[in-house]
Each structure stands twice: as C-alpha cells, then as structure tokens.
Amino acid sequence: MKVDFNKYSDGLVPAIIQDFTTHKVLMMGFMNEEALKKTMSEGKVTFFSRSKQRLWTKGEESGNHLLVKEILSDCDNDTLLIKAQPLGPTCHTGADTCWSERNHSEDFLYYLQDIIELRKKSEDEKSYVRQLFNKGINKIAQKVGEEAVELVIEAKDSNEDLFLNEAADLMFHYLVLLNAKGYNLQQVVSILQNRHSNKK
C-alpha cells in the first residue's frame, strides 16, 4: 500500500474509520507516516492529533480502542479507509459514532443478532431468549429442529402466512443457536461468499 503523504503541506492524510462488521462510518482523523506505521504495527488505530501535536492512539484514556481489521488507500493514494472493530463508543461524547448514529447494521438480521446477545446478558427472567439460554445448548438445538420440521410441514401446504411465520421462527432460533455455539452470522456468510467465489 502506497500513501502519498507529501500531497499535503502538513504531511497529514485523512483517515476514515469504518466499523468492520456494521459498515457504519465511526469517525475521521488524520495520520502522518509515523501514525500509520504505529497503527499497522500495533493493530490499534493511531492518529496524529492536530490539537495535541503528537501521536494519539484512539482509546488511550477511555479504553475504547479501534482494533484494525483492514487498511485501504484510495485511488489517488491520499486518503485512508480503515476498517476496525470498536471496543466501546467511538465519539468522545459517548455516542457510537461521531455523527451520533447508532452503530448497528442496517441489515435487520445483524441487528436481531445484536438484540439476541443483549437478551442473553439480560437479567430479565421473563425474556424468552434468556430462558432459552438458561436451558442450555441441547434445548436450543432441539428448538431449531422443531422449527425446521414445522417449516417442512407448512411447505407441503399452501398457507403462505403460516409458512412465512414458520420460516421466521426457524431463522430466529438459528441465530440463537449460532450465538450459543459462540459463532455469528457474518462467519456463516463468509463461508457462503468463499464458496461462491471458488465457483467463479
């Protein structure tokens, strides 16, 4: 990767930070060559702070680091796109992003996955998801099997509403099972993408 730091009089190139999972833009900062080298070597996003006039690692005080997943340079080699995993809110105001957006995927399935994780950690004993996790992996796997059978049964009939509702039930419990096993939807999607790429 080649970055043209000399294009700017101060030697600072814009660095756009994007959440690796949700694809939300989290913040924008500036990097000089030293900041980029430190970011690449340590795996945590480091900027050159124009106000402090020194290198500044995001989260050095709050602990809300940005863990680097991928670094890209644009077509003119004068702007960086850094895909990262945020460890907590990104903005100094406490917001998820510097544009006060909630940092979750616009894809509802990924949003639902986050909700399932929250429900699992909840202390609300009336939560259906919490009850499922309390019963353990065997019960969760059993529910996926039951919903799959019910979907197959409805597939043989012509009631669209019942079929789609059973499909939704299966999808929901499938996400619960993935979480219970310590995996997530993105990992499954990545496998499908790799299979697709290998067939080209």
Side-chain angles (χ1 to χ4, degrees):
M1 181 179 61
K2 185 178 180 181
V3 183
D4 187 3
F5 292 97
N6 295 323
K7 192 165 186 176
Y8 302 97
S9 59
D10 57 6
L12 301 177
V13 300
I16 300 165
I17 313 301
Q18 181 185 43
D19 189 294
F20 181 74
T21 302
T22 68
H23 308 301
K24 288 281 189 180
V25 175
L26 301 175
M27 68 174 295
M28 195 277 281
F30 294 90
M31 289 186 176
N32 59 11
E33 191 168 3
E34 187 181 1
L36 178 58
K37 286 180 179 178
K38 186 175 182 181
T39 295
M40 295 175 71
S41 65
E42 296 185 1
K44 296 177 182 177
V45 175
T46 296
F47 300 103
F48 181 84
S49 171
R50 294 178 298 174
S51 59
K52 300 174 183 177
Q53 284 295 299
R54 66 171 177 83
L55 294 186
W56 167 67
T57 299
K58 178 70 179 77
E60 63 185 26
E61 295 180 2
S62 66
N64 297 334
H65 295 290
L66 295 166
L67 305 184
V68 177
K69 296 294 184 180
E70 186 177 8
I71 302 177
L72 302 171
S73 178
D74 76 338
C75 55
D76 293 322
N77 298 317
D78 60 6
T79 302
L80 293 168
L81 174 63
I82 300 179
K83 300 181 181 183
Q85 175 191 348
L87 299 183
T90 298
C91 186
H92 71 281
T93 65
D96 286 352
T97 79
C98 289
W99 289 268
S100 296
E101 291 185 298
R102 290 189 62 195
N103 186 23
H104 64 75
S105 174
E106 297 300 330
D107 186 319
F108 182 74
L109 285 180
Y110 288 95
Y111 175 64
L112 181 58
Q113 180 174 253
D114 292 341
I115 295 299
I116 288 171
E117 176 67 18
L118 290 174
R119 295 287 188 273
K120 180 177 76 170
K121 296 177 179 178
S122 168
E123 296 183 1
D124 181 8
E125 296 297 336
K126 294 181 180 179
S127 165
Y128 174 69
V129 173
R130 173 67 187 272
Q131 290 175 8
L132 273 178
F133 280 105
N134 286 346
K135 292 176 181 177
I137 189 69
N138 289 342
K139 181 61 177 178
I140 295 172
Q142 179 185 332
K143 282 297 296 181
V144 172
E146 291 173 358
E147 298 300 342
V149 170
E150 290 174 9
L151 179 63
V152 170
I153 292 172
E154 291 302 332
K156 298 171 73 175
D157 293 328
S158 57
N159 189 314
E160 178 181 348
D161 185 61
L162 288 177
F163 173 76
L164 290 176
N165 273 280
E166 292 300 343
D169 288 344
L170 176 57
M171 181 71 74
F172 174 78
H173 288 91
Y174 168 69
L175 290 175
V176 173
L177 181 60
L178 277 180
N179 184 295
K181 291 293 292 181
Y183 303 113
N184 58 55
L185 189 58
Q186 183 57 51
Q187 291 170 290
V188 177
V189 170
S190 294
I191 291 173
L192 292 173
Q193 288 173 328
N194 289 336
R195 288 179 182 176
H196 176 70
S197 298
N198 292 335
K199 290 182 179 180
K200 289 183 177 179

